[in-house]
PDB file of all heavy atoms in Angstrom:
ATOM      1  N   GLU A 115      17.457 189.563 111.577  1.00 95.00           N
ATOM      2  CA  GLU A 115      18.789 189.785 111.050  1.00 95.00           C
ATOM      3  C   GLU A 115      19.255 188.579 110.262  1.00 95.00           C
ATOM      4  O   GLU A 115      19.896 188.709 109.257  1.00 95.00           O
ATOM      5  CB  GLU A 115      19.764 190.075 112.215  1.00 95.00           C
ATOM      6  CG  GLU A 115      19.591 191.415 112.845  1.00 95.00           C
ATOM      7  CD  GLU A 115      20.418 191.605 114.121  1.00 95.00           C
ATOM      8  OE1 GLU A 115      20.803 190.637 114.726  1.00 95.00           O
ATOM      9  OE2 GLU A 115      20.688 192.793 114.459  1.00 95.00           O
ATOM     10  N   MET A 119      20.657 188.469 106.507  1.00 97.00           N
ATOM     11  CA  MET A 119      21.973 187.931 106.184  1.00 97.00           C
ATOM     12  C   MET A 119      21.858 186.776 105.190  1.00 97.00           C
ATOM     13  O   MET A 119      22.651 186.655 104.274  1.00 97.00           O
ATOM     14  CB  MET A 119      22.746 187.482 107.451  1.00 97.00           C
ATOM     15  CG  MET A 119      23.252 188.636 108.335  1.00 97.00           C
ATOM     16  SD  MET A 119      24.290 189.803 107.442  1.00 97.00           S
ATOM     17  CE  MET A 119      25.652 188.742 106.921  1.00 97.00           C
ATOM     18  N   VAL A 130      19.219 198.278  99.358  1.00 97.00           N
ATOM     19  CA  VAL A 130      18.089 198.031 100.264  1.00 97.00           C
ATOM     20  C   VAL A 130      16.845 197.782  99.465  1.00 97.00           C
ATOM     21  O   VAL A 130      16.030 196.843  99.807  1.00 97.00           O
ATOM     22  CB  VAL A 130      17.906 199.170 101.296  1.00 97.00           C
ATOM     23  CG1 VAL A 130      16.676 198.907 102.122  1.00 97.00           C
ATOM     24  CG2 VAL A 130      19.131 199.242 102.226  1.00 97.00           C
ATOM     25  N   LEU A 136      13.026 190.924  97.802  1.00 97.00           N
ATOM     26  CA  LEU A 136      13.195 189.505  98.050  1.00 97.00           C
ATOM     27  C   LEU A 136      12.178 189.019  99.113  1.00 97.00           C
ATOM     28  O   LEU A 136      12.045 187.780  99.286  1.00 97.00           O
ATOM     29  CB  LEU A 136      14.612 189.248  98.537  1.00 97.00           C
ATOM     30  CG  LEU A 136      15.647 189.510  97.495  1.00 97.00           C
ATOM     31  CD1 LEU A 136      17.057 189.410  98.100  1.00 97.00           C
ATOM     32  CD2 LEU A 136      15.541 188.650  96.234  1.00 97.00           C
ATOM     33  N   HIS A 143       8.780 197.754 105.669  1.00 96.00           N
ATOM     34  CA  HIS A 143       8.935 199.125 105.234  1.00 96.00           C
ATOM     35  C   HIS A 143      10.387 199.343 104.896  1.00 96.00           C
ATOM     36  O   HIS A 143      11.277 198.809 105.545  1.00 96.00           O
ATOM     37  CB  HIS A 143       8.518 200.105 106.307  1.00 96.00           C
ATOM     38  CG  HIS A 143       7.027 200.116 106.549  1.00 96.00           C
ATOM     39  ND1 HIS A 143       6.156 200.824 105.749  1.00 96.00           N
ATOM     40  CD2 HIS A 143       6.285 199.550 107.533  1.00 96.00           C
ATOM     41  CE1 HIS A 143       4.913 200.648 106.148  1.00 96.00           C
ATOM     42  NE2 HIS A 143       4.950 199.889 107.285  1.00 96.00           N
ATOM     43  N   THR A 146      12.495 200.636 107.822  1.00 96.00           N
ATOM     44  CA  THR A 146      12.721 199.694 108.829  1.00 96.00           C
ATOM     45  C   THR A 146      13.874 198.725 108.374  1.00 96.00           C
ATOM     46  O   THR A 146      14.804 198.459 109.120  1.00 96.00           O
ATOM     47  CB  THR A 146      11.451 198.777 109.034  1.00 96.00           C
ATOM     48  OG1 THR A 146      10.389 199.654 109.451  1.00 96.00           O
ATOM     49  CG2 THR A 146      11.687 197.710 110.079  1.00 96.00           C
ATOM     50  N   ILE A 160      28.135 193.344 107.797  1.00 96.00           N
ATOM     51  CA  ILE A 160      28.088 193.807 106.403  1.00 96.00           C
ATOM     52  C   ILE A 160      28.814 195.108 106.255  1.00 96.00           C
ATOM     53  O   ILE A 160      29.137 195.763 107.262  1.00 96.00           O
ATOM     54  CB  ILE A 160      26.625 193.913 105.843  1.00 96.00           C
ATOM     55  CG1 ILE A 160      25.817 194.906 106.631  1.00 96.00           C
ATOM     56  CG2 ILE A 160      25.952 192.551 105.796  1.00 96.00           C
ATOM     57  CD1 ILE A 160      24.394 195.137 106.103  1.00 96.00           C
ATOM     58  N   VAL A 175      30.950 188.793 106.639  1.00 92.00           N
ATOM     59  CA  VAL A 175      31.117 187.501 107.323  1.00 92.00           C
ATOM     60  C   VAL A 175      30.374 186.480 106.512  1.00 92.00           C
ATOM     61  O   VAL A 175      29.208 186.659 106.105  1.00 92.00           O
ATOM     62  CB  VAL A 175      30.491 187.607 108.702  1.00 92.00           C
ATOM     63  CG1 VAL A 175      30.531 186.270 109.453  1.00 92.00           C
ATOM     64  CG2 VAL A 175      31.147 188.686 109.546  1.00 92.00           C
ATOM     65  N   THR A 184      29.680 181.325 115.992  1.00 77.00           N
ATOM     66  CA  THR A 184      28.570 181.216 116.975  1.00 77.00           C
ATOM     67  C   THR A 184      28.644 179.912 117.758  1.00 77.00           C
ATOM     68  O   THR A 184      28.318 179.821 118.929  1.00 77.00           O
ATOM     69  CB  THR A 184      27.178 181.449 116.354  1.00 77.00           C
ATOM     70  OG1 THR A 184      27.046 180.576 115.244  1.00 77.00           O
ATOM     71  CG2 THR A 184      27.030 182.878 115.967  1.00 77.00           C
ATOM     72  N   ASP A 190      31.704 177.995 124.488  1.00 77.00           N
ATOM     73  CA  ASP A 190      32.394 178.797 125.556  1.00 77.00           C
ATOM     74  C   ASP A 190      31.462 179.212 126.613  1.00 77.00           C
ATOM     75  O   ASP A 190      31.690 179.081 127.782  1.00 77.00           O
ATOM     76  CB  ASP A 190      33.082 180.004 124.884  1.00 77.00           C
ATOM     77  CG  ASP A 190      33.887 180.834 125.886  1.00 77.00           C
ATOM     78  OD1 ASP A 190      34.517 180.238 126.793  1.00 77.00           O
ATOM     79  OD2 ASP A 190      33.923 182.085 125.705  1.00 77.00           O
ATOM     80  N   ASP A 194      31.525 175.969 129.347  1.00 83.00           N
ATOM     81  CA  ASP A 194      32.770 176.263 129.923  1.00 83.00           C
ATOM     82  C   ASP A 194      33.976 175.980 129.011  1.00 83.00           C
ATOM     83  O   ASP A 194      34.983 175.469 129.418  1.00 83.00           O
ATOM     84  CB  ASP A 194      32.938 175.602 131.305  1.00 83.00           C
ATOM     85  CG  ASP A 194      33.995 176.302 132.161  1.00 83.00           C
ATOM     86  OD1 ASP A 194      34.211 177.525 131.991  1.00 83.00           O
ATOM     87  OD2 ASP A 194      34.622 175.576 132.954  1.00 83.00           O
ATOM     88  N   LEU A 204      25.001 166.433 123.761  1.00 82.00           N
ATOM     89  CA  LEU A 204      24.274 165.978 122.568  1.00 82.00           C
ATOM     90  C   LEU A 204      23.950 164.445 122.641  1.00 82.00           C
ATOM     91  O   LEU A 204      22.869 164.062 122.248  1.00 82.00           O
ATOM     92  CB  LEU A 204      25.113 166.282 121.299  1.00 82.00           C
ATOM     93  CG  LEU A 204      25.322 167.736 120.940  1.00 82.00           C
ATOM     94  CD1 LEU A 204      26.351 167.825 119.768  1.00 82.00           C
ATOM     95  CD2 LEU A 204      23.979 168.340 120.562  1.00 82.00           C
ATOM     96  N   VAL A 212      25.586 157.149 119.688  1.00 83.00           N
ATOM     97  CA  VAL A 212      26.921 156.657 119.886  1.00 83.00           C
ATOM     98  C   VAL A 212      27.522 156.121 118.637  1.00 83.00           C
ATOM     99  O   VAL A 212      28.685 156.385 118.317  1.00 83.00           O
ATOM    100  CB  VAL A 212      26.914 155.560 121.004  1.00 83.00           C
ATOM    101  CG1 VAL A 212      28.335 154.962 121.162  1.00 83.00           C
ATOM    102  CG2 VAL A 212      26.455 156.149 122.330  1.00 83.00           C
TER     103      VAL A 212
END
Side-chain angles (χ1 to χ4, degrees):
E115 290 171 336
M119 287 305 298
V130 174
L136 297 171
H143 290 281
T146 302
I160 60 176
V175 176
T184 52
D190 183 36
D194 198 27
L204 291 172
V212 173

